[in-house]
Amino acid sequence: MKFQEKEHLYGNNNKKQMLPKIILLAIFVIIIVLVTPLSYPLFGSSFLLMMSKSKQPNSSNVDSIEKENLPSTSLKNCDIFSGEWVPNPKGPYYTNKTCWAIHEHQNCMKYGRPDSEFMKWRWKPNECELPIFNPFQFLEIVRGKSMAFVGDSVGRNHMQSLICLLSRVEWPIDVSYTKDDYFMRWKYPSYNFTMAAYWTPFLVKAQRENSDGPTHTGLYNLYLDEFDEKWTSQIEDFDYVIINGGHWFYKPMVFYEKGKIVGCHYCLLENVTDLTMYYGYRKAFRTAFRALNSLENFKGVTFLRTFAPSHFENGIWNQGGNCLRTKPFKSNEARLEGTNMELYMIQLEEYKISQKKAKRNGLKFRLLDTTQAMLLRPDGHPSRYGHLPQENVTLYNDCVHWCLPGPIDTWSDFLLEMLKMERAKSKRERRQID
């Protein structure tokens, strides 16, 4: 701490007039020097508190302090994925006017959503507090690293949320290798951090066989034992891979293994057995995890971001179903059941099998379990607020994706906490080696 000398002006007094004052000042200084060490213990915590307060930054310096002071420990012995949504009047931390990265169909406030309370909740684990996302901490942890979002449009929804949350620190620049919006790549120059999205809604090699199909949503051929090289050939050098999949598996599909048809899901083809969507879902995740485990030079951390349920009520997605609620459920008001439970359990089972294989190969698989939290957020979807009311579009009510800002921002709270855990674990392992 720097101290500035103070000047004392005595005017035009002569030396005789100044002498008594100098003597008194000297006596006072001697008393202070002798007495302070003796009385120091009496000051106690109030003295230390006063000293610490004197060192607190003013509001203009808070940002620079946040950049530097990263926590050395993270939450321990706490299931951060089990909890409740509680009010957060401080939210949101960006708006549709401050972030350009929001996809039009998730820009709910722009297109007239009348309520705003859905943006003012945070996730509270049952056994601890989950810190709100700190963009400075995140960018420091991922400095010099790269992160890939692999999966469907909900994964892209997550990446766009993260871009908006990081916008308080820095905007990325577009370093995409292609003009295809499904394969975007962004870089944060100050941190040498790269994010990329890889569109692969089925995770495995797939092609659309028919644009119409039994449900007028297309008929797709899935090659369940073959990698989708549009992403598997690109991610070997990434430090983090966040993989997801789910809603596309409701579509009619024909399943291929070893180049031959083995069954389908609601394909309505003669002499083809309906094996249900669950068969294809399981095999697709099994193959995707096998791809990650087989990459020779991949040394990154894989996060499985679990299935986020939709919230159609009073009908299915193409028969008038909608999501008009304005508040979260409490944990005792909604249960994970039916198809949502089946998809979630398939993910967990395949993850656990592949995690064991990954561990033997020196790789890390982690579970980013968003399912329970998002089950409780029927209020977070765009519904009909993804386009202008008078716009001539054939869009159904969207109860699958998430408004931005909105509850999907909490996924970055989870992600940052998991990255902090990874960093702490790596430090412990290095100390053991040393």
Side-chain angles (χ1 to χ4, degrees), residues 116-359:
S116 59
E117 290 305 305
F118 71 94
M119 299 184 288
K120 297 181 179 294
W121 298 85
R122 66 177 179 87
W123 182 249
K124 168 67 175 68
N126 292 327
E127 301 170 348
C128 57
E129 291 287 340
L130 179 66
I132 294 293
F133 183 81
N134 184 322
F136 295 108
Q137 289 183 0
F138 181 89
L139 285 170
E140 284 295 344
I141 290 174
V142 298
R143 183 185 289 275
K145 298 183 183 297
S146 55
M147 179 176 289
F149 292 80
V150 175
D152 58 23
S153 54
V154 180
R156 186 177 63 213
N157 199 176
H158 181 195
M159 187 181 79
Q160 290 164 344
S161 162
L162 181 56
I163 290 174
C164 289
L165 289 167
L166 294 175
S167 67
R168 289 177 285 166
V169 181
E170 184 172 85
W171 287 109
I173 59 174
D174 186 346
V175 292
S176 303
Y177 299 152
T178 173
K179 294 182 180 180
D180 190 339
D181 289 343
Y182 289 127
F183 298 92
M184 297 297 290
R185 197 177 184 99
W186 303 97
K187 184 168 185 176
Y188 290 80
S190 300
Y191 294 86
N192 191 26
F193 169 59
T194 301
M195 280 197 298
Y198 291 95
W199 169 257
T200 174
F202 296 110
L203 298 175
V204 294
K205 180 182 176 181
Q207 65 182 35
R208 188 169 69 175
E209 176 68 22
N210 186 320
S211 61
D212 189 25
T215 62
H216 310 296
T217 58
L219 175 64
Y220 294 84
N221 293 337
L222 268 63
Y223 301 87
L224 295 175
D225 54 352
E226 297 185 40
F227 299 162
D228 180 0
E229 294 187 356
K230 291 193 299 292
W231 70 271
T232 60
S233 65
Q234 299 294 316
I235 62 158
E236 208 159 16
D237 294 329
F238 278 87
D239 298 286
Y240 307 105
V241 174
I242 303 174
I243 190 170
N244 82 94
H247 296 285
W248 276 69
F249 287 83
Y250 286 89
K251 296 176 181 287
M253 301 171 286
V254 178
F255 303 138
Y256 287 77
E257 292 183 68
K258 297 181 179 179
K260 297 180 179 180
I261 295 177
V262 295
C264 74
H265 164 62
Y266 200 68
C267 64
L268 303 185
L269 297 176
E270 289 187 15
N271 301 320
V272 179
T273 304
D274 194 321
L275 298 176
T276 77
M277 63 185 292
Y278 304 129
Y279 180 90
Y281 194 66
R282 182 181 296 280
K283 287 295 186 79
F285 269 98
R286 186 173 298 178
T287 298
F289 288 141
R290 179 165 58 86
L292 288 161
N293 273 323
S294 67
L295 293 173
E296 185 175 350
N297 297 316
F298 178 62
K299 304 300 179 184
V301 181
T302 298
F303 294 93
L304 168 62
R305 200 270 299 154
T306 60
F307 181 69
S310 60
H311 292 92
F312 291 100
E313 295 185 76
N314 301 316
I316 59 176
W317 67 274
N318 60 347
Q319 295 180 12
N322 208 345
C323 40
L324 299 175
R325 295 180 184 268
T326 57
K327 289 185 178 180
F329 289 131
K330 292 189 178 298
S331 60
N332 61 358
E333 294 175 336
R335 291 181 58 188
L336 191 65
E337 55 191 3
T339 301
N340 289 334
M341 172 64 87
E342 192 69 26
L343 295 176
Y344 176 66
M345 292 308 299
I346 288 172
Q347 283 187 319
L348 291 189
E349 290 162 8
E350 293 302 317
Y351 164 80
K352 289 178 181 177
I353 293 170
S354 298
Q355 185 190 37
K356 291 179 181 177
K357 295 179 181 177
K359 193 172 183 179

